[in-house]
């Protein structure tokens, strides 16, 4: 068996890609694409634009159109939660994660007795460079200024 004894793995230009500390914990560069954004006001149905950015490593999430655009090909993890604003009606609602405008994952639920409900999705997707990901909701939903503060958000990051 061979051992590779290193503390850092670097690109030829000197940027550190990984660091291994004395306890064996591995950390990767802060250049890894990652984002977290939430909605700050209620909105009608359609593409959800998460307008308040909490984290945007690499600036690949655009809070003007609600899209994350992959900078490189790879596996990405995405998670979203949207709290419906059913306006006192019982109805079905659907939450969709779209890749390049096409549904990739979808969930559906029913709001009973005029109660608001939340939908959530967590997925792993293989993206090509320049593919974009966004969220769609078919009913009105709450943003962070309502009593439902922080219940409507979208996040993702490059797995590798």
């Amino acid at each position: 068996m061979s051992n590779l004894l290193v503390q850092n793995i670097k690109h030829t230009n000197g940027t550190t890609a990984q660091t291994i500390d004395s306890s064996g914990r591995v950390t990767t560069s802060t250049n890894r694409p990652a984002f977290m954004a939430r909605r700050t006001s209620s909105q009608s149905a359609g593409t959800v634009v998460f307008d308040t950015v909490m984290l945007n490593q690499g600036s690949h999430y655009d809070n003007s159109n609600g899209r994350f655009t992959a900078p490189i090909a790879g596996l990405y993890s995405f998670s979203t939660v949207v709290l419906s604003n059913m306006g006192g009606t019982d109805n079905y609602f659907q939450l969709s994660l779209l890749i390049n405008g096409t549904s990739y994952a979808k969930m559906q639920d029913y709001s009973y007795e005029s109660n608001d409900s939340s939908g959530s999705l967590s997925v792993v997707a293989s993206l090509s460079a320049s593919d974009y990901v966004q969220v769609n909701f078919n009913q009105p939903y709450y943003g962070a200024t309502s009593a439902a503060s922080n219940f409507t958000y979208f996040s993702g990051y490059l797995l590798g």
Side-chain angles (χ1 to χ4, degrees):
M1 176 166 57
S2 299
N3 290 320
L4 176 64
L5 305 174
V6 298
Q7 183 177 0
N8 293 307
I9 298 175
K10 295 185 176 195
H11 186 271
T12 56
N13 70 4
T15 58
T16 300
Q18 286 186 330
T19 300
I20 305 168
D21 73 9
S22 61
S23 297
R25 293 178 293 245
V26 177
T27 58
T28 58
S29 166
T30 58
N31 292 328
R32 177 186 301 262
F35 75 97
M36 165 80 175
R38 62 182 182 210
R39 181 75 196 171
T40 58
S41 62
S42 297
Q43 184 177 325
S44 59
T47 299
V48 184
V49 178
F50 301 88
D51 56 347
T52 299
V53 176
M54 311 305 291
L55 169 73
N56 199 5
Q57 284 184 182
S59 300
H60 305 293
Y61 176 76
D62 185 340
N63 67 337
S64 70
N65 62 17
R67 290 182 178 180
F68 170 82
T69 302
I72 61 170
L75 289 177
Y76 289 81
S77 175
F78 296 99
S79 178
T80 187
V81 174
V82 176
L83 181 63
S84 69
N85 178 2
M86 301 306 282
T89 62
D90 295 349
N91 204 351
Y92 284 99
F93 64 90
Q94 289 183 346
L95 175 64
S96 303
L97 188 93
L98 310 173
I99 298 176
N100 299 326
T102 301
S103 181
Y104 179 74
K106 187 180 285 191
M107 66 80 55
Q108 177 174 288
D109 204 350
Y110 190 82
S111 175
Y112 292 98
E113 299 176 4
S114 303
N115 291 320
D116 299 321
S117 299
S118 63
S120 64
L121 289 170
S122 294
V123 300
V124 173
S126 178
L127 300 180
S128 298
S130 299
D131 282 351
Y132 67 89
V133 179
Q134 62 194 133
V135 174
N136 193 69
F137 198 67
N138 75 333
Q139 296 289 340
Y141 51 88
Y142 285 117
T145 58
S146 70
S149 180
N150 300 325
F151 283 103
T152 297
Y153 65 86
F154 182 31
S155 65
Y157 59 95
L158 173 66
L159 291 169

